[in-house]
mmCIF file of all heavy atoms in Angstrom:
data_model
loop_
_atom_site.group_PDB
_atom_site.id
_atom_site.type_symbol
_atom_site.label_atom_id
_atom_site.label_comp_id
_atom_site.label_asym_id
_atom_site.label_seq_id
_atom_site.Cartn_x
_atom_site.Cartn_y
_atom_site.Cartn_z
ATOM 1 N N ASN A 8 104.919 65.678 64.819
ATOM 2 C CA ASN A 8 105.938 65.103 63.934
ATOM 3 C C ASN A 8 105.340 64.690 62.593
ATOM 4 O O ASN A 8 105.956 64.870 61.532
ATOM 5 C CB ASN A 8 106.603 63.888 64.602
ATOM 6 C CG ASN A 8 107.457 64.285 65.785
ATOM 7 O OD1 ASN A 8 107.892 65.442 65.872
ATOM 8 N ND2 ASN A 8 107.674 63.350 66.708
ATOM 9 N N GLU A 9 104.127 64.110 62.652
ATOM 10 C CA GLU A 9 103.466 63.705 61.400
ATOM 11 C C GLU A 9 103.134 64.930 60.555
ATOM 12 O O GLU A 9 103.322 64.927 59.343
ATOM 13 C CB GLU A 9 102.188 62.930 61.719
ATOM 14 C CG GLU A 9 101.463 62.446 60.462
ATOM 15 C CD GLU A 9 100.228 61.615 60.784
ATOM 16 O OE1 GLU A 9 100.153 61.063 61.896
ATOM 17 O OE2 GLU A 9 99.351 61.537 59.902
ATOM 18 N N PHE A 10 102.648 65.975 61.201
ATOM 19 C CA PHE A 10 102.336 67.204 60.474
ATOM 20 C C PHE A 10 103.608 67.806 59.863
ATOM 21 O O PHE A 10 103.611 68.267 58.721
ATOM 22 C CB PHE A 10 101.680 68.225 61.403
ATOM 23 C CG PHE A 10 101.445 69.549 60.750
ATOM 24 C CD1 PHE A 10 100.391 69.729 59.871
ATOM 25 C CD2 PHE A 10 102.295 70.622 60.992
ATOM 26 C CE1 PHE A 10 100.166 70.948 59.258
ATOM 27 C CE2 PHE A 10 102.091 71.840 60.386
ATOM 28 C CZ PHE A 10 101.017 72.007 59.511
ATOM 29 N N TYR A 11 104.704 67.767 60.648
ATOM 30 C CA TYR A 11 105.976 68.310 60.157
ATOM 31 C C TYR A 11 106.445 67.523 58.938
ATOM 32 O O TYR A 11 106.944 68.100 57.955
ATOM 33 C CB TYR A 11 107.023 68.247 61.267
ATOM 34 C CG TYR A 11 108.367 68.778 60.855
ATOM 35 C CD1 TYR A 11 108.607 70.147 60.786
ATOM 36 C CD2 TYR A 11 109.408 67.906 60.528
ATOM 37 C CE1 TYR A 11 109.837 70.645 60.397
ATOM 38 C CE2 TYR A 11 110.649 68.385 60.132
ATOM 39 C CZ TYR A 11 110.858 69.760 60.073
ATOM 40 O OH TYR A 11 112.075 70.235 59.684
ATOM 41 N N ALA A 12 106.292 66.186 58.986
ATOM 42 C CA ALA A 12 106.705 65.344 57.857
ATOM 43 C C ALA A 12 105.871 65.654 56.620
ATOM 44 O O ALA A 12 106.394 65.737 55.497
ATOM 45 C CB ALA A 12 106.570 63.868 58.227
ATOM 46 N N ARG A 13 104.576 65.840 56.801
ATOM 47 C CA ARG A 13 103.704 66.163 55.670
ATOM 48 C C ARG A 13 104.051 67.530 55.090
ATOM 49 O O ARG A 13 104.075 67.724 53.877
ATOM 50 C CB ARG A 13 102.233 66.160 56.107
ATOM 51 C CG ARG A 13 101.682 64.773 56.385
ATOM 52 C CD ARG A 13 100.202 64.848 56.692
ATOM 53 N NE ARG A 13 99.648 63.537 56.981
ATOM 54 C CZ ARG A 13 98.370 63.314 57.261
ATOM 55 N NH1 ARG A 13 97.518 64.338 57.280
ATOM 56 N NH2 ARG A 13 97.927 62.101 57.508
ATOM 57 N N ASP A 14 104.328 68.478 55.975
ATOM 58 C CA ASP A 14 104.681 69.819 55.515
ATOM 59 C C ASP A 14 105.987 69.791 54.733
ATOM 60 O O ASP A 14 106.129 70.460 53.700
ATOM 61 C CB ASP A 14 104.803 70.754 56.721
ATOM 62 C CG ASP A 14 104.995 72.205 56.294
ATOM 63 O OD1 ASP A 14 104.147 72.703 55.531
ATOM 64 O OD2 ASP A 14 105.982 72.819 56.720
ATOM 65 N N THR A 15 106.955 69.017 55.221
ATOM 66 C CA THR A 15 108.231 68.871 54.521
ATOM 67 C C THR A 15 108.023 68.225 53.152
ATOM 68 O O THR A 15 108.627 68.637 52.153
ATOM 69 C CB THR A 15 109.208 68.023 55.351
ATOM 70 O OG1 THR A 15 109.399 68.638 56.635
ATOM 71 C CG2 THR A 15 110.557 67.888 54.645
ATOM 72 N N ASN A 16 107.142 67.215 53.114
ATOM 73 C CA ASN A 16 106.829 66.541 51.851
ATOM 74 C C ASN A 16 106.258 67.522 50.837
ATOM 75 O O ASN A 16 106.642 67.518 49.662
ATOM 76 C CB ASN A 16 105.835 65.404 52.116
ATOM 77 C CG ASN A 16 105.406 64.684 50.854
ATOM 78 O OD1 ASN A 16 104.507 65.135 50.163
ATOM 79 N ND2 ASN A 16 106.041 63.561 50.569
ATOM 80 N N ARG A 17 105.361 68.383 51.275
ATOM 81 C CA ARG A 17 104.764 69.391 50.392
ATOM 82 C C ARG A 17 105.821 70.350 49.862
ATOM 83 O O ARG A 17 105.830 70.698 48.680
ATOM 84 C CB ARG A 17 103.704 70.193 51.137
ATOM 85 C CG ARG A 17 102.415 69.426 51.419
ATOM 86 C CD ARG A 17 101.463 70.316 52.167
ATOM 87 N NE ARG A 17 100.228 69.613 52.508
ATOM 88 C CZ ARG A 17 99.266 70.137 53.265
ATOM 89 N NH1 ARG A 17 99.401 71.354 53.751
ATOM 90 N NH2 ARG A 17 98.170 69.447 53.531
ATOM 91 N N LYS A 18 106.733 70.770 50.759
ATOM 92 C CA LYS A 18 107.761 71.712 50.344
ATOM 93 C C LYS A 18 108.706 71.098 49.321
ATOM 94 O O LYS A 18 109.105 71.750 48.351
ATOM 95 C CB LYS A 18 108.538 72.192 51.566
ATOM 96 C CG LYS A 18 107.725 73.105 52.484
ATOM 97 C CD LYS A 18 108.518 73.518 53.700
ATOM 98 C CE LYS A 18 107.685 74.446 54.596
ATOM 99 N NZ LYS A 18 108.397 74.811 55.838
ATOM 100 N N ILE A 19 109.064 69.833 49.516
ATOM 101 C CA ILE A 19 109.945 69.145 48.563
ATOM 102 C C ILE A 19 109.271 69.028 47.204
ATOM 103 O O ILE A 19 109.878 69.267 46.155
ATOM 104 C CB ILE A 19 110.342 67.750 49.100
ATOM 105 C CG1 ILE A 19 111.266 67.903 50.309
ATOM 106 C CG2 ILE A 19 111.017 66.919 48.005
ATOM 107 C CD1 ILE A 19 111.613 66.607 50.984
ATOM 108 N N ARG A 20 107.983 68.680 47.226
ATOM 109 C CA ARG A 20 107.239 68.592 45.960
ATOM 110 C C ARG A 20 107.181 69.954 45.281
ATOM 111 O O ARG A 20 107.325 70.051 44.054
ATOM 112 C CB ARG A 20 105.812 68.094 46.224
ATOM 113 C CG ARG A 20 105.730 66.625 46.614
ATOM 114 C CD ARG A 20 104.271 66.219 46.773
ATOM 115 N NE ARG A 20 104.131 64.832 47.169
ATOM 116 C CZ ARG A 20 102.967 64.229 47.366
ATOM 117 N NH1 ARG A 20 101.841 64.924 47.202
ATOM 118 N NH2 ARG A 20 102.906 62.967 47.714
ATOM 119 N N ALA A 21 106.957 71.002 46.063
ATOM 120 C CA ALA A 21 106.862 72.350 45.489
ATOM 121 C C ALA A 21 108.186 72.768 44.864
ATOM 122 O O ALA A 21 108.213 73.373 43.781
ATOM 123 C CB ALA A 21 106.446 73.347 46.568
ATOM 124 N N VAL A 22 109.292 72.449 45.547
ATOM 125 C CA VAL A 22 110.609 72.793 45.013
ATOM 126 C C VAL A 22 110.880 72.056 43.709
ATOM 127 O O VAL A 22 111.340 72.639 42.720
ATOM 128 C CB VAL A 22 111.713 72.481 46.050
ATOM 129 C CG1 VAL A 22 113.093 72.577 45.410
ATOM 130 C CG2 VAL A 22 111.616 73.440 47.228
ATOM 131 N N ASN A 23 110.596 70.753 43.692
ATOM 132 C CA ASN A 23 110.815 69.962 42.471
ATOM 133 C C ASN A 23 109.929 70.442 41.332
ATOM 134 O O ASN A 23 110.357 70.475 40.175
ATOM 135 C CB ASN A 23 110.563 68.477 42.738
ATOM 136 C CG ASN A 23 111.681 67.829 43.521
ATOM 137 O OD1 ASN A 23 112.821 68.282 43.470
ATOM 138 N ND2 ASN A 23 111.371 66.773 44.253
ATOM 139 N N LYS A 24 108.695 70.817 41.657
ATOM 140 C CA LYS A 24 107.782 71.318 40.627
ATOM 141 C C LYS A 24 108.303 72.630 40.047
ATOM 142 O O LYS A 24 108.298 72.840 38.836
ATOM 143 C CB LYS A 24 106.388 71.523 41.211
ATOM 144 C CG LYS A 24 105.331 71.961 40.205
ATOM 145 C CD LYS A 24 103.961 71.987 40.859
ATOM 146 C CE LYS A 24 102.867 72.317 39.838
ATOM 147 N NZ LYS A 24 102.977 73.681 39.314
#
Side-chain angles (χ1 to χ4, degrees):
N8 291 338
E9 181 177 338
F10 175 77
Y11 180 78
R13 288 185 181 181
D14 187 55
T15 302
N16 178 277
R17 288 179 182 174
K18 290 178 179 177
I19 291 175
R20 289 183 181 180
V22 169
N23 285 334
K24 184 174 184 294

